[in-house]
Every structure is written in C-alpha cells, then in structure tokens.
Amino acid sequence: GSNIINILLVGGTLGLISNVQVNFHEMFYHNSILLSLTLLFIIVVVFLKKIGRFFGIIFISIYFIFIYLNFIIAN
C-alpha cells in the first residue's frame, strides 16, 4: 500500500511540474517479464509447497539480471 501511495504522489507531483513521457513498449516488455516470473513463482509454490535454496537462488539471480539489464545496460 505504501509503495502505491508513493508512486501516485511522486508521479502526480512530477506530472504537475513537467511533462512525463512513458515508453509503452518498454513497459510491456517489463510487465511481461514480471508476469512470467510471478506465474513461475506460483507454479513452484503450488507444486513444491515451499521454495528451497535452489529456487531461491534462481529467482534472486533472475531479479539481479533483470535489474542489471534495465539500469546498467539501458543507460
């Protein structure tokens, strides 16, 4: 809940101050990756009933790769 309020307040304030341009192609790309990972997470939890060390390392590695590709390589 706090994250949503922060996004709305900061985004709304920024929108009042200057024009905000959104690249919907990148947004679709990011959302599809995050949705796929969420579905994979749900499948792992439903079938294995817990997340062990192996899948924990896999999910954290995928997250770091995602952050690296978005912030390090994109700039």
Side-chain angles (χ1 to χ4, degrees), residues 10-72:
V10 171
T13 305
L14 182 64
L16 291 173
I17 296 171
S18 67
N19 292 332
V20 178
Q21 295 185 9
V22 177
N23 187 346
F24 288 104
H25 183 267
E26 285 184 17
M27 188 183 298
F28 177 75
Y29 170 73
H30 294 166
N31 287 341
S32 61
I33 289 174
L34 293 175
L35 179 64
S36 300
L37 287 174
T38 302
L39 293 175
L40 179 63
F41 179 77
I42 290 170
I43 290 169
V44 168
V45 169
V46 166
F47 287 111
L48 297 180
K49 304 296 185 212
K50 68 176 187 173
I51 295 180
R53 184 173 290 145
F54 176 73
F55 282 110
I57 291 170
I58 295 290
F59 282 118
I60 290 173
S61 299
I62 291 171
Y63 175 72
F64 283 136
I65 291 169
F66 178 75
I67 295 298
Y68 177 76
L69 292 175
N70 282 310
F71 295 108
I72 306 299

